[in-house]
Amino acid sequence: MKLADCIQTADWKAEKHVPAITVPAEIKAGEFFTVQACVGKDIAHPNTLEHNIQWVQLFFKPEGGKFAIELGKAVFTAHGESDTFTNPCLCLNTKINTNGTFIALSYCNIHGLWEDSVEVKVL
């Protein structure tokens, strides 16, 4: 068995565990921009002590490249302790010089690994 066999995918508009990737409509080569990978964009995830998103990770795979590059990872540790919560959203600034694909992974302590991807074109 491979790890890829354990990763689930779905449309984030219909499934609360899928990380939704948000990028600008226009990306200029060599200029920083903000990219987000958030779980629960359209359907909120409960994020309780018993059922929570523990982390979100974001990668970029350049078109024609062999490997995906890890851009960042956010670990969420507040799930209701003392009525404190963390919204599972990773936001970072990056710059790219080539077309490619952003890939996000999220991990739910009950429902496992979830993935989404978005292809982007650089101006």
Side-chain angles (χ1 to χ4, degrees), residues 22-24 26-28 31-35 60 92-96 102 120 122:
T22 305
V23 295
E26 293 185 357
I27 297 172
K28 296 180 182 174
E31 291 186 12
F32 280 98
F33 61 93
T34 301
V35 59
F60 179 71
L92 56 86
N93 289 319
T94 190
K95 64 180 176 178
I96 57 177
F102 284 99
V120 295
V122 173

PDB file of all heavy atoms in Angstrom, residues 22-24 26-28 31-35 60 92-96 102 120 122:
ATOM      1  N   THR A  22      -7.065  28.988  -2.504  1.00  0.00           N
ATOM      2  CA  THR A  22      -7.433  30.275  -3.084  1.00  0.00           C
ATOM      3  C   THR A  22      -6.168  30.984  -3.552  1.00  0.00           C
ATOM      4  O   THR A  22      -5.247  31.191  -2.758  1.00  0.00           O
ATOM      5  CB  THR A  22      -8.166  31.158  -2.052  1.00  0.00           C
ATOM      6  OG1 THR A  22      -9.295  30.437  -1.544  1.00  0.00           O
ATOM      7  CG2 THR A  22      -8.637  32.450  -2.686  1.00  0.00           C
ATOM      8  N   VAL A  23      -6.117  31.312  -4.841  1.00  0.00           N
ATOM      9  CA  VAL A  23      -4.994  32.056  -5.426  1.00  0.00           C
ATOM     10  C   VAL A  23      -5.565  33.211  -6.232  1.00  0.00           C
ATOM     11  O   VAL A  23      -6.717  33.155  -6.672  1.00  0.00           O
ATOM     12  CB  VAL A  23      -4.101  31.162  -6.320  1.00  0.00           C
ATOM     13  CG1 VAL A  23      -3.423  30.085  -5.505  1.00  0.00           C
ATOM     14  CG2 VAL A  23      -4.885  30.552  -7.443  1.00  0.00           C
ATOM     15  N   PRO A  24      -4.772  34.256  -6.470  1.00  0.00           N
ATOM     16  CA  PRO A  24      -5.254  35.371  -7.293  1.00  0.00           C
ATOM     17  C   PRO A  24      -5.560  34.919  -8.728  1.00  0.00           C
ATOM     18  O   PRO A  24      -4.982  33.934  -9.216  1.00  0.00           O
ATOM     19  CB  PRO A  24      -4.083  36.360  -7.288  1.00  0.00           C
ATOM     20  CG  PRO A  24      -3.219  35.960  -6.146  1.00  0.00           C
ATOM     21  CD  PRO A  24      -3.428  34.494  -5.949  1.00  0.00           C
ATOM     22  N   GLU A  26      -4.745  36.510 -11.372  1.00  0.00           N
ATOM     23  CA  GLU A  26      -3.539  36.776 -12.164  1.00  0.00           C
ATOM     24  C   GLU A  26      -2.312  36.666 -11.277  1.00  0.00           C
ATOM     25  O   GLU A  26      -2.248  37.279 -10.215  1.00  0.00           O
ATOM     26  CB  GLU A  26      -3.593  38.170 -12.783  1.00  0.00           C
ATOM     27  CG  GLU A  26      -4.670  38.334 -13.831  1.00  0.00           C
ATOM     28  CD  GLU A  26      -4.615  39.689 -14.515  1.00  0.00           C
ATOM     29  OE1 GLU A  26      -3.777  40.540 -14.146  1.00  0.00           O
ATOM     30  OE2 GLU A  26      -5.429  39.899 -15.436  1.00  0.00           O
ATOM     31  N   ILE A  27      -1.353  35.877 -11.719  1.00  0.00           N
ATOM     32  CA  ILE A  27      -0.093  35.703 -11.001  1.00  0.00           C
ATOM     33  C   ILE A  27       1.028  36.170 -11.922  1.00  0.00           C
ATOM     34  O   ILE A  27       1.148  35.684 -13.045  1.00  0.00           O
ATOM     35  CB  ILE A  27       0.121  34.231 -10.602  1.00  0.00           C
ATOM     36  CG1 ILE A  27      -0.986  33.787  -9.641  1.00  0.00           C
ATOM     37  CG2 ILE A  27       1.497  34.033  -9.980  1.00  0.00           C
ATOM     38  CD1 ILE A  27      -0.970  32.303  -9.337  1.00  0.00           C
ATOM     39  N   LYS A  28       1.824  37.122 -11.444  1.00  0.00           N
ATOM     40  CA  LYS A  28       2.935  37.641 -12.234  1.00  0.00           C
ATOM     41  C   LYS A  28       4.233  36.961 -11.802  1.00  0.00           C
ATOM     42  O   LYS A  28       4.511  36.846 -10.611  1.00  0.00           O
ATOM     43  CB  LYS A  28       3.042  39.157 -12.071  1.00  0.00           C
ATOM     44  CG  LYS A  28       1.831  39.877 -12.620  1.00  0.00           C
ATOM     45  CD  LYS A  28       1.943  41.369 -12.450  1.00  0.00           C
ATOM     46  CE  LYS A  28       0.681  42.036 -12.980  1.00  0.00           C
ATOM     47  NZ  LYS A  28       0.677  43.476 -12.718  1.00  0.00           N
ATOM     48  N   GLU A  31       6.770  37.860  -8.636  1.00  0.00           N
ATOM     49  CA  GLU A  31       6.149  38.785  -7.685  1.00  0.00           C
ATOM     50  C   GLU A  31       5.414  37.989  -6.607  1.00  0.00           C
ATOM     51  O   GLU A  31       4.724  37.020  -6.900  1.00  0.00           O
ATOM     52  CB  GLU A  31       5.172  39.720  -8.389  1.00  0.00           C
ATOM     53  CG  GLU A  31       5.845  40.716  -9.308  1.00  0.00           C
ATOM     54  CD  GLU A  31       4.874  41.739  -9.885  1.00  0.00           C
ATOM     55  OE1 GLU A  31       3.716  41.824  -9.401  1.00  0.00           O
ATOM     56  OE2 GLU A  31       5.272  42.448 -10.824  1.00  0.00           O
ATOM     57  N   PHE A  32       5.585  38.426  -5.356  1.00  0.00           N
ATOM     58  CA  PHE A  32       4.904  37.743  -4.260  1.00  0.00           C
ATOM     59  C   PHE A  32       3.398  37.924  -4.345  1.00  0.00           C
ATOM     60  O   PHE A  32       2.909  38.972  -4.768  1.00  0.00           O
ATOM     61  CB  PHE A  32       5.395  38.268  -2.905  1.00  0.00           C
ATOM     62  CG  PHE A  32       6.704  37.666  -2.480  1.00  0.00           C
ATOM     63  CD1 PHE A  32       7.890  38.349  -2.684  1.00  0.00           C
ATOM     64  CD2 PHE A  32       6.745  36.415  -1.881  1.00  0.00           C
ATOM     65  CE1 PHE A  32       9.105  37.798  -2.295  1.00  0.00           C
ATOM     66  CE2 PHE A  32       7.955  35.861  -1.486  1.00  0.00           C
ATOM     67  CZ  PHE A  32       9.128  36.546  -1.701  1.00  0.00           C
ATOM     68  N   PHE A  33       2.667  36.893  -3.956  1.00  0.00           N
ATOM     69  CA  PHE A  33       1.209  36.933  -3.863  1.00  0.00           C
ATOM     70  C   PHE A  33       0.791  36.045  -2.700  1.00  0.00           C
ATOM     71  O   PHE A  33       1.575  35.243  -2.190  1.00  0.00           O
ATOM     72  CB  PHE A  33       0.554  36.475  -5.176  1.00  0.00           C
ATOM     73  CG  PHE A  33       0.892  35.065  -5.566  1.00  0.00           C
ATOM     74  CD1 PHE A  33       0.069  34.005  -5.201  1.00  0.00           C
ATOM     75  CD2 PHE A  33       2.050  34.790  -6.299  1.00  0.00           C
ATOM     76  CE1 PHE A  33       0.393  32.701  -5.559  1.00  0.00           C
ATOM     77  CE2 PHE A  33       2.368  33.493  -6.667  1.00  0.00           C
ATOM     78  CZ  PHE A  33       1.544  32.446  -6.292  1.00  0.00           C
ATOM     79  N   THR A  34      -0.449  36.185  -2.278  1.00  0.00           N
ATOM     80  CA  THR A  34      -0.973  35.406  -1.161  1.00  0.00           C
ATOM     81  C   THR A  34      -1.758  34.211  -1.675  1.00  0.00           C
ATOM     82  O   THR A  34      -2.579  34.338  -2.578  1.00  0.00           O
ATOM     83  CB  THR A  34      -1.883  36.279  -0.270  1.00  0.00           C
ATOM     84  OG1 THR A  34      -1.116  37.382   0.210  1.00  0.00           O
ATOM     85  CG2 THR A  34      -2.428  35.491   0.907  1.00  0.00           C
ATOM     86  N   VAL A  35      -1.485  33.067  -1.088  1.00  0.00           N
ATOM     87  CA  VAL A  35      -2.217  31.834  -1.398  1.00  0.00           C
ATOM     88  C   VAL A  35      -2.732  31.267  -0.074  1.00  0.00           C
ATOM     89  O   VAL A  35      -2.047  31.355   0.945  1.00  0.00           O
ATOM     90  CB  VAL A  35      -1.335  30.819  -2.166  1.00  0.00           C
ATOM     91  CG1 VAL A  35      -0.109  30.448  -1.386  1.00  0.00           C
ATOM     92  CG2 VAL A  35      -2.126  29.576  -2.532  1.00  0.00           C
ATOM     93  N   PHE A  60       3.790  23.252  -4.096  1.00  0.00           N
ATOM     94  CA  PHE A  60       3.715  23.735  -5.474  1.00  0.00           C
ATOM     95  C   PHE A  60       4.543  22.797  -6.345  1.00  0.00           C
ATOM     96  O   PHE A  60       5.704  22.519  -6.041  1.00  0.00           O
ATOM     97  CB  PHE A  60       4.248  25.162  -5.619  1.00  0.00           C
ATOM     98  CG  PHE A  60       4.208  25.659  -7.039  1.00  0.00           C
ATOM     99  CD1 PHE A  60       3.004  25.963  -7.647  1.00  0.00           C
ATOM    100  CD2 PHE A  60       5.371  25.787  -7.771  1.00  0.00           C
ATOM    101  CE1 PHE A  60       2.953  26.395  -8.961  1.00  0.00           C
ATOM    102  CE2 PHE A  60       5.334  26.231  -9.089  1.00  0.00           C
ATOM    103  CZ  PHE A  60       4.121  26.534  -9.682  1.00  0.00           C
ATOM    104  N   LEU A  92      -0.144  32.085   3.177  1.00  0.00           N
ATOM    105  CA  LEU A  92       1.261  32.439   3.047  1.00  0.00           C
ATOM    106  C   LEU A  92       1.501  33.241   1.776  1.00  0.00           C
ATOM    107  O   LEU A  92       0.681  33.259   0.863  1.00  0.00           O
ATOM    108  CB  LEU A  92       2.146  31.192   3.099  1.00  0.00           C
ATOM    109  CG  LEU A  92       1.879  30.071   2.106  1.00  0.00           C
ATOM    110  CD1 LEU A  92       2.601  30.307   0.805  1.00  0.00           C
ATOM    111  CD2 LEU A  92       2.325  28.765   2.711  1.00  0.00           C
ATOM    112  N   ASN A  93       2.625  33.928   1.767  1.00  0.00           N
ATOM    113  CA  ASN A  93       3.052  34.689   0.594  1.00  0.00           C
ATOM    114  C   ASN A  93       4.145  33.899  -0.101  1.00  0.00           C
ATOM    115  O   ASN A  93       5.058  33.392   0.546  1.00  0.00           O
ATOM    116  CB  ASN A  93       3.581  36.066   0.999  1.00  0.00           C
ATOM    117  CG  ASN A  93       2.476  36.970   1.476  1.00  0.00           C
ATOM    118  OD1 ASN A  93       1.396  36.985   0.911  1.00  0.00           O
ATOM    119  ND2 ASN A  93       2.732  37.710   2.526  1.00  0.00           N
ATOM    120  N   THR A  94       4.036  33.821  -1.418  1.00  0.00           N
ATOM    121  CA  THR A  94       5.025  33.089  -2.193  1.00  0.00           C
ATOM    122  C   THR A  94       5.193  33.757  -3.548  1.00  0.00           C
ATOM    123  O   THR A  94       4.401  34.625  -3.919  1.00  0.00           O
ATOM    124  CB  THR A  94       4.611  31.604  -2.358  1.00  0.00           C
ATOM    125  OG1 THR A  94       5.703  30.879  -2.909  1.00  0.00           O
ATOM    126  CG2 THR A  94       3.400  31.453  -3.243  1.00  0.00           C
ATOM    127  N   LYS A  95       6.216  33.375  -4.264  1.00  0.00           N
ATOM    128  CA  LYS A  95       6.359  33.810  -5.648  1.00  0.00           C
ATOM    129  C   LYS A  95       6.817  32.622  -6.467  1.00  0.00           C
ATOM    130  O   LYS A  95       7.554  31.765  -5.980  1.00  0.00           O
ATOM    131  CB  LYS A  95       7.314  34.997  -5.792  1.00  0.00           C
ATOM    132  CG  LYS A  95       8.739  34.741  -5.405  1.00  0.00           C
ATOM    133  CD  LYS A  95       9.566  36.001  -5.606  1.00  0.00           C
ATOM    134  CE  LYS A  95      10.998  35.795  -5.125  1.00  0.00           C
ATOM    135  NZ  LYS A  95      11.807  36.977  -5.364  1.00  0.00           N
ATOM    136  N   ILE A  96       6.344  32.561  -7.683  1.00  0.00           N
ATOM    137  CA  ILE A  96       6.701  31.490  -8.601  1.00  0.00           C
ATOM    138  C   ILE A  96       7.058  32.117  -9.940  1.00  0.00           C
ATOM    139  O   ILE A  96       6.684  33.263 -10.224  1.00  0.00           O
ATOM    140  CB  ILE A  96       5.560  30.455  -8.757  1.00  0.00           C
ATOM    141  CG1 ILE A  96       4.270  31.129  -9.240  1.00  0.00           C
ATOM    142  CG2 ILE A  96       5.325  29.724  -7.444  1.00  0.00           C
ATOM    143  CD1 ILE A  96       3.111  30.165  -9.480  1.00  0.00           C
ATOM    144  N   PHE A 102      -0.763  24.020  -7.447  1.00  0.00           N
ATOM    145  CA  PHE A 102      -0.754  24.057  -5.991  1.00  0.00           C
ATOM    146  C   PHE A 102      -1.508  22.828  -5.504  1.00  0.00           C
ATOM    147  O   PHE A 102      -2.578  22.497  -6.024  1.00  0.00           O
ATOM    148  CB  PHE A 102      -1.422  25.328  -5.453  1.00  0.00           C
ATOM    149  CG  PHE A 102      -0.564  26.546  -5.591  1.00  0.00           C
ATOM    150  CD1 PHE A 102      -0.749  27.425  -6.639  1.00  0.00           C
ATOM    151  CD2 PHE A 102       0.444  26.806  -4.672  1.00  0.00           C
ATOM    152  CE1 PHE A 102       0.041  28.541  -6.778  1.00  0.00           C
ATOM    153  CE2 PHE A 102       1.247  27.927  -4.808  1.00  0.00           C
ATOM    154  CZ  PHE A 102       1.040  28.797  -5.868  1.00  0.00           C
ATOM    155  N   VAL A 120      -2.258  26.671 -12.015  1.00  0.00           N
ATOM    156  CA  VAL A 120      -2.127  28.115 -12.195  1.00  0.00           C
ATOM    157  C   VAL A 120      -1.232  28.412 -13.387  1.00  0.00           C
ATOM    158  O   VAL A 120      -0.335  27.642 -13.728  1.00  0.00           O
ATOM    159  CB  VAL A 120      -1.572  28.817 -10.926  1.00  0.00           C
ATOM    160  CG1 VAL A 120      -2.556  28.706  -9.767  1.00  0.00           C
ATOM    161  CG2 VAL A 120      -0.227  28.254 -10.525  1.00  0.00           C
ATOM    162  N   VAL A 122       1.197  31.531 -15.011  1.00  0.00           N
ATOM    163  CA  VAL A 122       1.949  32.740 -14.675  1.00  0.00           C
ATOM    164  C   VAL A 122       1.964  33.649 -15.886  1.00  0.00           C
ATOM    165  O   VAL A 122       2.176  33.203 -17.016  1.00  0.00           O
ATOM    166  CB  VAL A 122       3.385  32.356 -14.238  1.00  0.00           C
ATOM    167  CG1 VAL A 122       4.241  33.587 -14.042  1.00  0.00           C
ATOM    168  CG2 VAL A 122       3.341  31.520 -12.977  1.00  0.00           C
TER     169      VAL A 122
END
